[in-house]
Amino acid sequence: MRKEISPIYSYIESVLPAESDLKKQARLASTELGLSAISVSQTEAHLIQFLAAAVKPKKMIEIGTLTGLSAVYFLELLPPYGKLWTFEKSPLHVEKSKQTLQKYILSGQCEIVEGDALLNLPKISDQGPFDCIFIDGNKAAYYDYYKWAEKNISDGGMIIIDNVFLAGAVWGDQTLQKFNDKQISGMKKMTAEIFAASDFMSTFVPTTEGLLILRKK
Ligand SMILES: C[S@@+](CC[C@H](N)C(=O)[O-])C[C@H]1O[C@@H](n2cnc3c(N)ncnc32)[C@H](O)[C@@H]1O
């Protein structure tokens, strides 16, 4: 998610190769919905793809599809027999992402799971464990997403969690965007548990929104 474009991101994006037509299509769809600010930025998407590539993923999970932009970055990493399950609650966002992800849905590499991710994640647990899990959905549910992810990640697998700074709300800055007590306390509880977990190696990446990266030992 991106609230304002930092000069650092502008510089990085002037150097990175241009996004493919498919990624541009997904970005345009989020702009048309008035939601371009919550699509992953090119800078962050490039970083997330680079990190995920390190685990050579075959089975991946994404929570929060929007228009399928970050999904395309992940799908580029998968072998032909690999699969990404991407979870999205909004029927409108599902419709838009189906347009972006059509070729991957037809090839069997992508399944959009419509509905509340928290209700639907347990229904696919038997397809796991998963090599990479990206959490970018409902901020109030992050703690519960993490509890599912820690049980369903493969040994050596990676969990990537976006927006963990809640635009500064975790350290008390509520000027950029308002978050409620449940969102803030859940994020803090999740972060504390992550750094106390002995079966994960974890670190922050201090992007504008804050990324947490966990690798299962
Ligand atoms: C930040 S956007 C995801 C952006 C996307 N990962 C990207 O960068 O291209 C968050 C998405 O999560 C979806 N969402 C919100 N609550 C959800 C829930 N309970 N279950 C599944 N998806 C949810 C929203 O509708 C929205 O499309």
Side-chain angles (χ1 to χ4, degrees):
M1 191 200 282
R2 165 174 54 173
K3 294 291 158 291
E4 48 193 45
I5 300 168
S6 88
I8 297 171
Y9 282 22
S10 296
Y11 167 70
I12 292 171
E13 289 168 24
S14 75
V15 176
L16 291 177
E19 289 187 316
S20 65
D21 288 347
L22 197 54
K23 290 171 184 164
K24 284 183 184 144
Q25 180 188 321
R27 225 175 254 295
L28 180 63
S30 63
T31 302
E32 286 168 354
L33 291 172
L35 294 175
S36 60
I38 67 166
S39 281
V40 75
S41 68
Q42 188 186 4
T43 303
E44 290 153 358
H46 203 260
L47 171 66
I48 288 166
Q49 188 188 53
F50 180 91
L51 291 165
V55 301
K56 297 187 171 50
K58 295 173 190 67
K59 293 184 190 177
M60 303 187 72
I61 298 288
E62 173 180 73
I63 304 172
T65 319
L66 189 53
T67 58
L69 177 61
S70 47
V72 174
Y73 277 88
F74 289 129
L75 285 157
E76 286 176 345
L77 299 174
L78 288 182
Y81 55 88
K83 183 161 176 179
L84 170 76
W85 288 261
T86 181
F87 291 77
E88 177 53 58
K89 187 175 182 181
S90 156
L92 178 59
H93 299 179
V94 169
E95 186 191 314
K96 296 284 179 190
S97 54
K98 272 184 188 161
Q99 291 163 21
T100 309
L101 302 172
Q102 192 181 29
K103 76 167 180 178
Y104 295 106
I105 294 168
L106 288 174
S107 71
Q109 287 174 295
C110 182
E111 181 176 333
I112 303 170
V113 184
E114 183 172 346
D116 188 339
L118 216 42
L119 297 177
N120 286 329
L121 283 164
K123 296 179 190 164
I124 58 130
S125 298
D126 61 351
Q127 309 267 350
F130 304 94
D131 309 304
C132 184
I133 299 174
F134 178 50
I135 299 178
D136 195 20
N138 174 15
K139 306 309 164 225
Y142 266 38
Y143 180 78
D144 298 314
Y145 296 150
Y146 164 63
K147 295 312 279 182
W148 181 86
E150 71 167 348
K151 289 187 188 69
N152 291 281
I153 192 76
S154 57
D155 290 342
M158 187 179 286
I159 304 173
I160 303 172
I161 312 175
D162 198 10
N163 311 115
V164 297
F165 296 157
L166 289 180
V170 290
W171 57 76
D173 183 350
Q174 287 277 18
T175 54
L176 279 177
Q177 204 184 342
K178 300 282 177 227
F179 289 93
N180 62 39
D181 289 347
K182 184 177 179 206
Q183 291 168 320
I184 297 169
S185 63
M187 193 66 81
K188 287 183 172 175
K189 186 173 160 191
M190 179 196 78
T191 304
E193 281 194 23
I194 284 171
F195 285 102
S198 56
D199 48 349
F200 284 96
M201 194 179 158
S202 308
T203 193
F204 280 107
V205 181
T207 57
T208 311
E209 287 295 317
L211 276 179
L212 265 175
I213 316 290
L214 292 69
R215 189 95 192 247
K216 179 93 182 275
K217 290 180 185 167

